PDB file of all heavy atoms in Angstrom:
ATOM      1  N   CYS G 574     226.718 269.222 -42.110  1.00  0.00           N
ATOM      2  CA  CYS G 574     226.758 270.178 -43.207  1.00  0.00           C
ATOM      3  C   CYS G 574     225.315 270.407 -43.673  1.00  0.00           C
ATOM      4  O   CYS G 574     224.494 269.473 -43.653  1.00  0.00           O
ATOM      5  CB  CYS G 574     227.607 269.618 -44.341  1.00  0.00           C
ATOM      6  SG  CYS G 574     227.813 270.704 -45.750  1.00  0.00           S
ATOM      7  N   ALA G 575     225.007 271.636 -44.075  1.00  0.00           N
ATOM      8  CA  ALA G 575     223.643 271.951 -44.507  1.00  0.00           C
ATOM      9  C   ALA G 575     223.673 272.920 -45.673  1.00  0.00           C
ATOM     10  O   ALA G 575     224.600 273.725 -45.812  1.00  0.00           O
ATOM     11  CB  ALA G 575     222.838 272.541 -43.349  1.00  0.00           C
ATOM     12  N   VAL G 576     222.637 272.852 -46.494  1.00  0.00           N
ATOM     13  CA  VAL G 576     222.518 273.724 -47.661  1.00  0.00           C
ATOM     14  C   VAL G 576     221.094 274.257 -47.722  1.00  0.00           C
ATOM     15  O   VAL G 576     220.143 273.585 -47.345  1.00  0.00           O
ATOM     16  CB  VAL G 576     222.861 272.954 -48.963  1.00  0.00           C
ATOM     17  CG1 VAL G 576     221.892 271.805 -49.207  1.00  0.00           C
ATOM     18  CG2 VAL G 576     222.871 273.894 -50.171  1.00  0.00           C
ATOM     19  N   SER G 577     220.972 275.500 -48.163  1.00  0.00           N
ATOM     20  CA  SER G 577     219.637 276.041 -48.414  1.00  0.00           C
ATOM     21  C   SER G 577     219.679 276.906 -49.652  1.00  0.00           C
ATOM     22  O   SER G 577     220.750 277.341 -50.101  1.00  0.00           O
ATOM     23  CB  SER G 577     219.128 276.848 -47.215  1.00  0.00           C
ATOM     24  OG  SER G 577     219.789 278.085 -47.129  1.00  0.00           O
ATOM     25  N   GLY G 578     218.491 277.159 -50.212  1.00  0.00           N
ATOM     26  CA  GLY G 578     218.370 278.111 -51.300  1.00  0.00           C
ATOM     27  C   GLY G 578     218.281 279.510 -50.746  1.00  0.00           C
ATOM     28  O   GLY G 578     218.374 279.726 -49.532  1.00  0.00           O
ATOM     29  N   ARG G 579     218.071 280.466 -51.616  1.00  0.00           N
ATOM     30  CA  ARG G 579     218.144 281.855 -51.187  1.00  0.00           C
ATOM     31  C   ARG G 579     216.984 282.267 -50.293  1.00  0.00           C
ATOM     32  O   ARG G 579     217.085 283.259 -49.571  1.00  0.00           O
ATOM     33  CB  ARG G 579     218.226 282.778 -52.413  1.00  0.00           C
ATOM     34  CG  ARG G 579     219.551 282.626 -53.156  1.00  0.00           C
ATOM     35  CD  ARG G 579     220.685 283.111 -52.319  1.00  0.00           C
ATOM     36  NE  ARG G 579     221.959 282.534 -52.619  1.00  0.00           N
ATOM     37  CZ  ARG G 579     223.077 283.238 -52.741  1.00  0.00           C
ATOM     38  NH1 ARG G 579     223.051 284.549 -52.612  1.00  0.00           N
ATOM     39  NH2 ARG G 579     224.210 282.639 -52.990  1.00  0.00           N
ATOM     40  N   ASN G 580     215.870 281.549 -50.314  1.00  0.00           N
ATOM     41  CA  ASN G 580     214.811 281.916 -49.374  1.00  0.00           C
ATOM     42  C   ASN G 580     215.079 281.373 -47.986  1.00  0.00           C
ATOM     43  O   ASN G 580     214.456 281.765 -47.020  1.00  0.00           O
ATOM     44  CB  ASN G 580     213.437 281.476 -49.879  1.00  0.00           C
ATOM     45  CG  ASN G 580     213.269 279.970 -49.883  1.00  0.00           C
ATOM     46  OD1 ASN G 580     214.076 279.233 -49.329  1.00  0.00           O
ATOM     47  ND2 ASN G 580     212.225 279.499 -50.512  1.00  0.00           N
ATOM     48  N   ASN G 581     216.018 280.430 -47.902  1.00  0.00           N
ATOM     49  CA  ASN G 581     216.511 279.926 -46.620  1.00  0.00           C
ATOM     50  C   ASN G 581     215.442 279.310 -45.742  1.00  0.00           C
ATOM     51  O   ASN G 581     215.608 279.217 -44.536  1.00  0.00           O
ATOM     52  CB  ASN G 581     217.232 281.062 -45.864  1.00  0.00           C
ATOM     53  CG  ASN G 581     218.279 280.523 -44.918  1.00  0.00           C
ATOM     54  OD1 ASN G 581     218.728 279.401 -45.032  1.00  0.00           O
ATOM     55  ND2 ASN G 581     218.647 281.335 -43.945  1.00  0.00           N
ATOM     56  N   ASN G 582     214.336 278.903 -46.317  1.00  0.00           N
ATOM     57  CA  ASN G 582     213.322 278.181 -45.559  1.00  0.00           C
ATOM     58  C   ASN G 582     213.355 276.703 -45.869  1.00  0.00           C
ATOM     59  O   ASN G 582     212.454 275.966 -45.496  1.00  0.00           O
ATOM     60  CB  ASN G 582     211.922 278.726 -45.877  1.00  0.00           C
ATOM     61  CG  ASN G 582     211.619 279.965 -45.072  1.00  0.00           C
ATOM     62  OD1 ASN G 582     212.200 280.206 -44.030  1.00  0.00           O
ATOM     63  ND2 ASN G 582     210.712 280.767 -45.576  1.00  0.00           N
ATOM     64  N   ASP G 583     214.376 276.284 -46.575  1.00  0.00           N
ATOM     65  CA  ASP G 583     214.412 274.912 -47.060  1.00  0.00           C
ATOM     66  C   ASP G 583     215.763 274.286 -46.760  1.00  0.00           C
ATOM     67  O   ASP G 583     216.327 273.594 -47.589  1.00  0.00           O
ATOM     68  CB  ASP G 583     214.129 274.872 -48.559  1.00  0.00           C
ATOM     69  CG  ASP G 583     215.104 275.762 -49.338  1.00  0.00           C
ATOM     70  OD1 ASP G 583     215.880 276.504 -48.691  1.00  0.00           O
ATOM     71  OD2 ASP G 583     215.083 275.711 -50.575  1.00  0.00           O
ATOM     72  N   MET G 584     216.285 274.532 -45.569  1.00  0.00           N
ATOM     73  CA  MET G 584     217.608 274.003 -45.227  1.00  0.00           C
ATOM     74  C   MET G 584     217.560 272.483 -45.156  1.00  0.00           C
ATOM     75  O   MET G 584     216.701 271.899 -44.491  1.00  0.00           O
ATOM     76  CB  MET G 584     218.090 274.585 -43.904  1.00  0.00           C
ATOM     77  CG  MET G 584     219.553 274.277 -43.627  1.00  0.00           C
ATOM     78  SD  MET G 584     220.181 275.072 -42.136  1.00  0.00           S
ATOM     79  CE  MET G 584     220.179 276.778 -42.605  1.00  0.00           C
ATOM     80  N   ARG G 585     218.520 271.866 -45.823  1.00  0.00           N
ATOM     81  CA  ARG G 585     218.633 270.417 -45.835  1.00  0.00           C
ATOM     82  C   ARG G 585     219.983 270.037 -45.249  1.00  0.00           C
ATOM     83  O   ARG G 585     220.995 270.654 -45.553  1.00  0.00           O
ATOM     84  CB  ARG G 585     218.503 269.852 -47.263  1.00  0.00           C
ATOM     85  CG  ARG G 585     217.154 270.132 -47.915  1.00  0.00           C
ATOM     86  CD  ARG G 585     216.011 269.505 -47.162  1.00  0.00           C
ATOM     87  NE  ARG G 585     214.734 269.559 -47.847  1.00  0.00           N
ATOM     88  CZ  ARG G 585     213.880 270.576 -47.772  1.00  0.00           C
ATOM     89  NH1 ARG G 585     214.176 271.638 -47.051  1.00  0.00           N
ATOM     90  NH2 ARG G 585     212.736 270.519 -48.416  1.00  0.00           N
ATOM     91  N   PHE G 586     219.966 268.983 -44.450  1.00  0.00           N
ATOM     92  CA  PHE G 586     221.146 268.572 -43.710  1.00  0.00           C
ATOM     93  C   PHE G 586     221.714 267.269 -44.253  1.00  0.00           C
ATOM     94  O   PHE G 586     220.969 266.406 -44.743  1.00  0.00           O
ATOM     95  CB  PHE G 586     220.800 268.376 -42.241  1.00  0.00           C
ATOM     96  CG  PHE G 586     220.545 269.664 -41.507  1.00  0.00           C
ATOM     97  CD1 PHE G 586     219.321 270.306 -41.614  1.00  0.00           C
ATOM     98  CD2 PHE G 586     221.526 270.229 -40.714  1.00  0.00           C
ATOM     99  CE1 PHE G 586     219.082 271.500 -40.953  1.00  0.00           C
ATOM    100  CE2 PHE G 586     221.296 271.413 -40.042  1.00  0.00           C
ATOM    101  CZ  PHE G 586     220.079 272.049 -40.166  1.00  0.00           C
ATOM    102  N   GLY G 587     223.017 267.117 -44.088  1.00  0.00           N
ATOM    103  CA  GLY G 587     223.643 265.844 -44.346  1.00  0.00           C
ATOM    104  C   GLY G 587     223.390 264.881 -43.201  1.00  0.00           C
ATOM    105  O   GLY G 587     222.787 265.239 -42.185  1.00  0.00           O
ATOM    106  N   ALA G 588     223.884 263.661 -43.356  1.00  0.00           N
ATOM    107  CA  ALA G 588     223.644 262.622 -42.352  1.00  0.00           C
ATOM    108  C   ALA G 588     224.506 262.779 -41.114  1.00  0.00           C
ATOM    109  O   ALA G 588     224.265 262.119 -40.111  1.00  0.00           O
ATOM    110  CB  ALA G 588     223.866 261.241 -42.969  1.00  0.00           C
TER     111      ALA G 588
END
Side-chain angles (χ1 to χ4, degrees):
Chain G
C574 182
V576 62
S577 74
R579 292 293 155 134
N580 69 11
N581 207 19
N582 278 337
D583 56 352
M584 191 175 291
R585 298 298 189 273
F586 288 80

